[in-house]
Amino acid sequence: MKYALYPGCTVLGRGRNYEMAAREVAKAFGIEFVELDDFECCGFPVKSVNYETFMMMGARNIFAAEEKGLDICTLCSACTGSLTEVNKHLIEHFDEKTRIIARLKRNGINYRMGRDITIKHFTKILYEDIGVSEIEEQIEKKLSNLNIAAHYGCHYLKPTDIYDNPEDPENPHSLDELIMVTGANSVDYNEKMRCCGAGVLAISEDLAYSIVRPKLQELSKNSVDAMVLHCPFCSVMYDDNQKKIEQKFEEKYNLPVLYYPQLLGLALGIDAKLLGLRMNRVSTRAFLEKVGI
Amino acid sequence: MEKLSPKFKYEVAQEPGGEDIKLCFACGICTASCPIREIDEGYNPRRIIRMVLLGMKQRVLSSDFIWFCSSCYACTERCPQGVRFTDVMNAIKNLAVKQGYIPASFTQQIDILKRFGRLYEIDEFDNKKRVGFGLPRVEKAKGFTNKIMVLTELDEIILRNNEK
């Protein structure tokens, strides 16, 4: 199994722990990642500014992988959504594809057309390509006695009509199943489907932090050991900014936030250091002690 | 009071993603589903659609609240009429930018993207750290993003805004 790895800006800039854990977990399941030097921003930040710029930025990244005959594995849910939307548009509108390729070519950016490619979030690769039962066979250390809160995030699920095999966005299950296969308990909770608010962080910090708060409040009150997510934007909100939010509302949450491959990696018996677990902002020490590390 | 622009809804409908706005029958499920509206009542999807359909062009395009959408797609998933409100908001924002309305944080992001091709610069210091953690080096971006921004005239739009 071979994919071009598209880490995305936020993972490269702020999610080294996520990248480390994803690469370790991929290795354990024989997923080969290819690095493409041509990858730049997916276009998500300019979608609201100029749709044509967004379309061309996404398409160019897709063409870079297409030329090499590689499908793309994403780590960031915003990149996943943007690239999937553009890719679907290009596949369904061949005239658009040839128009954009020609427009890039006129401006000195050349890509050869290849077969249509697939964009897939790493979690979906684990869930669909590897599968829960295959993962279960490789579990070395059951993470029993852990209560984990799954945070799906918006773009991993929505808009459903751009995705192959979409889940019910009100009641998804892939991440819960992937958490339970580690032996941990995936808890049900009221605020489960709430947006992380990262989309408005650049517009209003107050507004963004107010969106984060209810989830942190609920989970810290209910003996949850950690929140598990799979998008670096969501992680910026819940992990990187948790201290700021505690200060703003004069509350204490102290909720460890892990990337899913970090949790799975522990269950696969991979060293916590290789999974970047010391780099999470909210200390994972007590969590790791409970796991027995 | 603002002079109304009855054709505004067609302008929005012509933008990618704005096509379905005229199907809205004002049930308000978008507003009821919106996590932003829950916190800030100044942001109200149903009201924004009504304002567009009524032709309140200048008030919509110059408002701060159009930039409050978190693009979570809750409204889009639940709309019984198939209005893709998240995309409608992008269509409205695209039009606002063409008129010179763009938040400073967006122009700053665009400037960073033009220079580094990514939202964060990955320099030698970062690469040393990456290699130390067993991660492959990340090469400097090749300037594709900048080129695309120039050829799609994003540059000129930003420049025009800076002059304002």
Side-chain angles (χ1 to χ4, degrees), chain A residues 145-216:
Chain A
N145 305 322
L146 282 183
N147 285 320
I148 301 293
H151 172 77
Y152 281 83
C154 301
H155 295 252
Y156 173 74
L157 302 164
K158 300 175 281 184
T160 46
D161 57 6
I162 61 169
Y163 288 117
D164 296 332
N165 313 319
E167 296 184 59
D168 177 352
E170 314 269 352
N171 191 20
H173 51 85
S174 59
L175 187 55
D176 291 271
E177 283 182 50
L178 288 168
I179 288 168
M180 288 186 293
V181 76
T182 67
N185 177 33
S186 183
V187 301
D188 203 8
Y189 63 106
N190 291 330
E191 299 291 343
K192 190 170 181 177
M193 299 320 297
R194 185 179 288 272
C195 164
C196 75
V200 291
L201 186 62
I203 297 292
S204 163
E205 280 193 14
D206 277 351
L207 179 57
Y209 294 160
S210 301
I211 297 173
V212 178
R213 186 187 183 196
K215 201 160 190 142
L216 291 175

Side-chain angles (χ1 to χ4, degrees), chain B residues 63-76:
Chain B
S63 68
D64 291 335
F65 60 71
I66 58 170
W67 297 93
F68 282 13
C69 171
S70 73
S71 82
C72 75
Y73 289 96
C75 51
T76 299

Side-chain angles (χ1 to χ4, degrees), chain A residues 221-240:
Chain A
K221 266 187 229 140
N222 289 293
S223 59
V224 166
D225 296 300
M227 183 198 282
V228 161
L229 42 70
H230 47 190
C231 171
F233 270 117
C234 300
S235 182
V236 163
M237 298 308 289
Y238 296 111
D239 194 25
D240 296 30

